[in-house]
Amino acid sequence: MIKSLRMGLLATLIAGASVSVAAGTLSLNIAYKGAVQRTVWQSTLDEFKKANPDVEIKATFVEEEAYKVQLPGWLSTQAPDIITWHNGERMAFYASRGLLEDVSEDWKKNNWDATYASTKDSSSYKGKQYALPTVYYSWGMFYRKDVFKTAGISAEPKTWDEFLEACKKLKAAGVTPLAVGGRDAWTLAGWFDYLDLRLNGNAFHQQLMAGEIAYTDPRVKKVYSAWKTLIDNKYFIDNALSYDLDGAQPFLFQGKAAMMLMGTFIAKGFPANMAANMGYFQFPIIDAKVPTAEEGPTESMHIPAKARNKVDARRFLAFVGTPAISAKLGEGLGSLPANSKSPEPTDPISRIGFQILSEAKGGVSQFYDRDMTKEMADEGMKGMQKFVSDPSKIDDVLNQLEQSRKRIYKKS
């Protein structure tokens, strides 16, 4: 019996030692796009390590598109202690399945209710918080200043008529007006979102995202019809579905295309000799009676429910949630700091993005595949690729999407 007690005590001590060792290692899976983004994350990890020398850091960097595919497997099996992800429906999808840790107490403890007030709703699911927002960013039109000048375009287009006139001038000058990498279907979703926000407004847009409006509604067809006009006029690069984002950007850099609708995060990856020649403007107003809404996707960090080192994970979130680190991430990721106490960005394009979002009286959308359930978003983006491949198939695409909406949202 004494021997059994000794063995039990020894087992307890060994188990305690194992927990102690594990508690000193913090594992993170971080999504990134391009070397610049990876560098700023590594620098942030180095700062945390310097401030917390007792914590060993094990970071795994995964390119964004591959990350999206691998994330469900991580969360349901051997999860890391920290993941980067997105707020809104993207976060709620996993929170609703019990795969993310409730960090509501951290919000109270770190006063995030005040410093992250504007992103609290998108960080919440059923009244509880499951995310720390890191950065958010504007979407708009990047353009080549020199190409505009050569084509005789003297000012950035503010209205749809001005935008169409600019496209016409560019085409006449032998330049394709618009680059888009349609192989990444989400780049097409940016076009759908903005046309819908400008034509129908954010309230309608959010109802559509929630599955409450039929895709056969004439207002949805109006969005695709406006898009079809651009395609029919050959304002987009040829074979757009053959290129991903990285493959489409060189059209802009080489002056073969003049504009690209995209988030400000790509600005940090511009070649050094090109950056000063790139401009950025708000997506043109189509209907002045529709309150102006914008895309403002929020990036975030989360603790998986199956994380093994939640103590140090919470320390890391508190560190990243400070104004200084939020500002550093915003600057390095070509975005805006989510922390309201962080200084405003100094980068010219980020400052324009900040102003655009600050003046969005019609509201701010997260983004197409972040505002709706994943299954419907996937169907919607496949439909967009089908439409771009053959714009005459508008009715077929919308009828198919309507069938998907009825099935997914259980509508009669």
Side-chain angles (χ1 to χ4, degrees):
M1 184 173 179
I2 292 173
K3 183 178 180 181
S4 296
L5 288 170
R6 285 175 176 168
M7 292 298 291
L9 179 59
L10 180 60
T12 301
L13 290 171
I14 292 172
S18 298
V19 170
S20 176
V21 171
T25 301
L26 180 69
S27 62
L28 307 92
N29 285 9
I30 298 173
Y32 76 100
K33 187 175 285 293
V36 175
Q37 290 196 2
R38 178 167 179 161
T39 297
V40 73
W41 275 117
Q42 186 60 59
S43 175
T44 301
L45 295 175
D46 293 343
E47 278 195 52
F48 176 76
K49 173 64 177 174
K50 186 176 180 180
N52 300 271
D54 58 315
V55 180
E56 290 300 319
I57 294 174
K58 180 184 177 184
T60 301
F61 293 92
V62 182
E63 196 279 329
E64 177 127 11
E65 294 306 310
Y67 190 99
K68 294 175 184 176
V69 175
Q70 296 173 34
L71 180 62
W74 300 332
L75 293 178
S76 59
T77 54
Q78 283 193 321
D81 302 312
I82 292 282
I83 59 165
T84 57
W85 193 228
H86 317 298
N87 264 16
E89 179 61 33
R90 285 282 191 88
M91 177 213 68
F93 179 83
Y94 293 116
S96 67
R97 289 160 174 75
L99 294 173
L100 297 179
E101 182 80 356
D102 178 0
V103 292
S104 302
E105 289 303 314
D106 299 85
W107 275 71
K108 294 175 184 174
K109 177 182 175 183
N110 298 314
N111 196 33
W112 291 343
D113 285 329
T115 51
Y116 291 95
S118 64
T119 48
K120 184 175 181 179
D121 284 348
S122 62
S123 302
S124 304
Y125 174 71
K126 290 190 174 180
K128 295 180 179 179
Q129 289 71 60
Y130 293 87
L132 168 69
T134 51
V135 299
Y136 66 105
Y137 52 88
S138 160
W139 271 66
M141 300 297 300
F142 285 93
Y143 73 102
R144 283 282 299 267
K145 296 176 183 177
D146 57 339
V147 174
F148 264 40
K149 185 176 180 180
T150 300
I153 303 167
S154 58
E156 297 170 352
K158 295 187 181 302
T159 68
W160 193 241
D161 287 342
E162 291 173 357
F163 177 74
L164 293 178
E165 181 62 25
C167 288
K168 187 176 179 180
K169 287 183 177 180
L170 289 162
K171 191 76 176 173
V175 178
T176 302
L178 301 162
V180 65
R183 198 169 80 195
D184 290 336
W186 59 270
T187 65
L188 301 178
W191 275 97
F192 176 84
D193 275 2
Y194 262 106
L195 290 170
D196 192 33
L197 290 171
R198 292 291 185 263
L199 287 165
N200 299 315
N202 194 35
F204 175 89
H205 185 69
Q206 294 306 325
Q207 286 181 299
L208 183 66
M209 298 296 99
E212 296 170 7
I213 292 175
Y215 281 83
T216 49
D217 187 296
R219 292 168 292 184
V220 180
K221 185 170 182 178
K222 188 177 181 181
V223 171
Y224 275 88
S225 296
W227 198 351
K228 183 176 183 295
T229 298
L230 300 178
I231 298 172
D232 288 346
N233 287 329
K234 300 190 181 300
Y235 288 161
F236 290 100
I237 58 173
D238 291 335
N239 303 313
L241 296 179
S242 301
Y243 304 97
D244 59 12
L245 174 59
D246 291 337
Q249 285 188 74
F251 284 90
L252 210 59
F253 300 151
Q254 296 164 13
K256 295 178 180 178
M259 294 179 279
M260 175 182 278
L261 174 64
M262 189 47 60
T264 54
F265 62 87
I266 66 166
K268 287 294 178 181
F270 290 159
N273 63 344
M274 186 61 58
N277 199 28
M278 296 297 295
Y280 181 74
F281 63 89
Q282 181 185 40
F283 193 93
I285 304 300
I286 299 178
D287 185 346
K289 296 189 296 293
V290 176
T292 304
E294 303 293 342
E295 300 271 47
T298 303
E299 306 293 305
S300 46
M301 303 198 84
H302 313 262
I303 302 175
K306 294 187 177 183
R308 287 167 288 182
N309 186 1
K310 295 178 182 179
V311 173
D312 288 330
R314 285 184 154 87
R315 286 170 69 182
F316 186 76
L317 289 189
F319 175 80
V320 172
T322 58
I325 297 298
S326 187
K328 174 180 179 173
L329 289 174
E331 185 74 17
L333 299 175
S335 303
L336 303 167
N339 192 311
S340 63
K341 302 298 182 185
S342 298
E344 290 185 17
T346 57
D347 172 74
I349 286 177
S350 293
R351 287 185 70 84
I352 296 170
F354 178 80
Q355 183 178 2
I356 289 172
L357 289 172
S358 298
E359 297 173 358
K361 293 182 172 60
V364 176
S365 150
Q366 278 297 302
F367 195 72
Y368 185 84
D369 62 346
R370 303 187 187 192
D371 275 331
M372 72 164 74
T373 184
K374 183 180 186 302
E375 189 177 3
M376 189 65 224
D378 289 344
E379 292 297 322
M381 290 188 290
K382 282 191 290 186
M384 291 174 201
Q385 289 179 318
K386 181 179 178 181
F387 163 73
V388 169
S389 176
D390 185 354
S392 70
K393 301 290 188 183
I394 288 182
D395 290 330
D396 290 347
V397 168
L398 294 179
N399 286 328
Q400 189 171 357
L401 289 179
E402 178 56 12
Q403 293 307 309
S404 297
R405 182 189 77 95
K406 289 179 177 178
R407 173 177 56 81
I408 293 167
Y409 293 101
K410 297 178 172 54
K411 303 287 185 181
S412 59

